[in-house]
Amino acid sequence: MAATLKLEIVTPEAKVFAADVEMVTLTGIDGEMGIYPDHMPVMTQLVAGEICVRTNGENIWLAVGDGFVQITGKRVAILTDMAINAENIDEARAEEALRRAEARLAEKITDEEAARVQAAIAHATTQLRVKRRRG
C-alpha cells in the first residue's frame, strides 16, 4: 500500500472531506503545491480555486474558496469558506448566483457589502470553472 497522509477540509458549516490520501494539489498564496506524505511542515494561505485529491488511484476535484492550510508530514488541514466536490456543483445555480452578485455590485452598496459580493463572485466563478473542467 502506498504511503498516505490524512486530509481534512473544513468549512464553517461542516467537515467536507476527511480521508487518507496519496497526494493533494492546491494553490497557496505562493503558487501551486503538490503535497505528498512526509512533506515538510508548512502553514500558508489557500487561494480560491481547485484542489485535486488523489486517493485509491483516483482523482477527486473540489472547488474551494480562500482559507488556510496547515501541512505536516502526516496531515493536511484546510480551513476554507467554501469546499464543494466537482460532482456536486450545480452549474445553473452557480451561474444564477454569479448574475445576482454582479447585479448587486452595480448598485450603490457599502464597502462591507461590496466585499461580501466580491466573495460571492469568487465562489460562483470558482465553482463554474471547476465544474466545466472536471464535472
Side-chain angles (χ1 to χ4, degrees):
M1 181 175 165
T4 61
L5 53 104
K6 180 74 172 173
L7 171 63
E8 291 183 332
I9 303 174
V10 179
T11 69
E13 291 80 30
K15 186 182 289 188
V16 175
F17 190 94
D20 291 328
V21 303
E22 298 154 16
M23 180 195 77
V24 179
T25 304
L26 57 83
T27 304
I29 193 100
D30 294 321
E32 191 170 77
M33 303 172 64
I35 305 158
Y36 291 91
D38 299 322
H39 193 284
M40 66 181 226
V42 175
M43 186 130 183
T44 190
Q45 235 179 305
L46 177 69
V47 176
E50 66 183 8
I51 290 179
C52 178
V53 177
R54 183 116 176 121
T55 183
N56 298 319
E58 300 288 325
N59 288 334
I60 299 169
W61 299 91
L62 297 104
V64 296
D66 292 327
F68 295 95
V69 181
Q70 180 186 33
I71 302 165
T72 67
K74 305 282 182 219
R75 182 172 176 262
V76 177
I78 298 173
L79 178 61
T80 179
D81 60 353
M82 176 192 74
I84 304 171
N85 189 311
E87 295 175 353
N88 298 332
I89 295 171
D90 182 333
E91 192 171 354
R93 188 173 168 193
E95 286 174 345
E96 178 58 28
L98 181 58
R99 278 192 294 275
R100 281 192 322 269
E102 288 172 338
R104 182 77 175 123
L105 197 57
E107 298 172 6
K108 186 174 181 174
I109 56 177
T110 67
D111 289 345
E112 185 178 322
E113 289 172 305
R116 278 196 298 272
V117 171
Q118 288 289 359
I121 289 171
H123 286 181
T125 303
T126 298
Q127 288 178 51
L128 290 169
R129 188 174 55 246
V130 171
K131 180 66 175 182
R132 290 175 178 160
R133 257 200 298 189
R134 310 292 178 194

